Amino acid sequence: MGCCTGRCTLIFLCSLQLLAALERQIFDFLGFQWAPILGNFLQIIVVILGLFGTIQFRPRYIVVYTVWTALWVTWNVFIICFYLEVGGLSKETDLMTFNISMHRSWWREHGPGCIRRVVRPSSPGTLDDYSYVSVTGCIIDFQYLEVIHSAIQILLSLIGFVYACYVISIFMEEEDSFDFIGGLDTYSYRQPPQEHVELKPVKPVGRTK
């Protein structure tokens, strides 16, 4: 009963993680955030692997999921520090795009309540095709939206890590019990226990004349 409960809970958590990673992947693609895109891709693969291992009773796959979950939590903590500019990090750098583009988070211009305007400078000496984007009226700043996404990922990952460890321990106990029972059956089949029979001398019976 405990195995079924823990296993079903882990399946549910993996499904939530898969949906959350897919949702995040879509918006990171829209913002050309190549570093998060790579991380989300690995997250989707490992979560599918953990989901398969949970359904098919494969503890080794769940171990891979558990190890990756620890790395995934670390990555999301780094993203939170990046957008909150902790430890000398700056959200204005091109770190999330591997320094190959100047794109920022998609939520920067498309957050809740944001009004996006393309403004062309009228000062002389500037290129005609030069313009910049003015964003006003945002209910929540984009960095806090990114922090919320990472916090959700961390919460799901921590709960999934706990249940994954629990399911692995249950699977291992069941394997040990099956091996123990199978070992006794094999031994009893191949080498049946020999009964010790005490032999007593028998006196010969003489013929009667």
Side-chain angles (χ1 to χ4, degrees):
M1 185 68 179
C3 176
C4 179
T5 304
R7 186 166 154 266
C8 294
T9 305
L10 184 58
I11 291 173
F12 176 72
L13 289 172
C14 287
S15 301
L16 285 181
Q17 284 184 289
L18 188 59
L19 292 175
L22 289 172
E23 179 266 343
R24 193 175 186 181
Q25 184 77 313
I26 292 173
F27 292 111
D28 286 336
F29 260 117
L30 293 174
F32 301 98
Q33 304 293 291
W34 303 116
I37 286 171
L38 179 60
N40 295 331
F41 178 73
L42 295 176
Q43 168 73 354
I44 291 171
I45 291 178
V46 176
V47 169
I48 292 175
L49 189 66
L51 190 61
F52 176 79
T54 306
I55 295 174
Q56 297 294 326
F57 296 92
R58 303 291 180 88
R60 292 182 180 179
Y61 293 167
I62 306 177
V63 171
V64 175
Y65 164 81
T66 304
V67 174
W68 168 255
T69 298
L71 298 176
W72 183 243
V73 169
T74 305
W75 167 249
N76 281 277
V77 170
F78 170 77
I79 291 180
I80 291 176
C81 295
F82 175 79
Y83 282 105
L84 295 181
E85 298 184 337
V86 177
L89 297 172
S90 176
K91 62 180 179 294
E92 301 300 331
T93 60
D94 300 328
L95 184 61
M96 291 299 170
T97 60
F98 293 134
N99 295 321
I100 59 177
S101 68
M102 298 180 62
H103 290 89
R104 298 292 183 266
S105 171
W106 184 82
W107 297 105
R108 186 179 190 130
E109 301 176 6
H110 304 86
C114 292
I115 300 175
R116 181 177 180 271
R117 293 188 180 91
V118 178
V119 181
R120 294 182 179 274
S122 59
S123 58
T126 57
L127 297 177
D128 293 335
D129 59 349
Y130 176 79
S131 63
Y132 65 94
V133 176
S134 174
V135 180
T136 58
C138 296
I139 299 175
I140 303 177
D141 292 337
F142 76 97
Q143 64 265 28
Y144 298 120
L145 290 173
E146 293 288 355
V147 168
I148 291 173
H149 276 83
S150 295
I152 293 174
Q153 293 288 339
I154 291 174
L155 179 62
L156 293 176
S157 298
L158 290 177
I159 300 175
F161 180 86
V162 173
Y163 272 95
C165 294
Y166 172 71
V167 171
I168 290 172
S169 64
I170 295 297
F171 284 177
M172 292 301 182
E173 290 178 2
E174 290 185 353
E175 285 186 357
D176 292 340
S177 63
F178 289 156
D179 292 340
F180 178 73
I181 296 173
L184 288 180
D185 293 342
T186 305
Y187 180 80
S188 61
Y189 176 77
R190 293 183 179 180
Q191 297 182 1
Q194 298 179 359
E195 296 181 358
H196 296 281
V197 180
E198 184 179 358
L199 300 179
K200 295 182 180 181
V202 179
K203 295 181 180 180
V205 179
R207 295 180 180 180
T208 58
K209 294 182 180 181

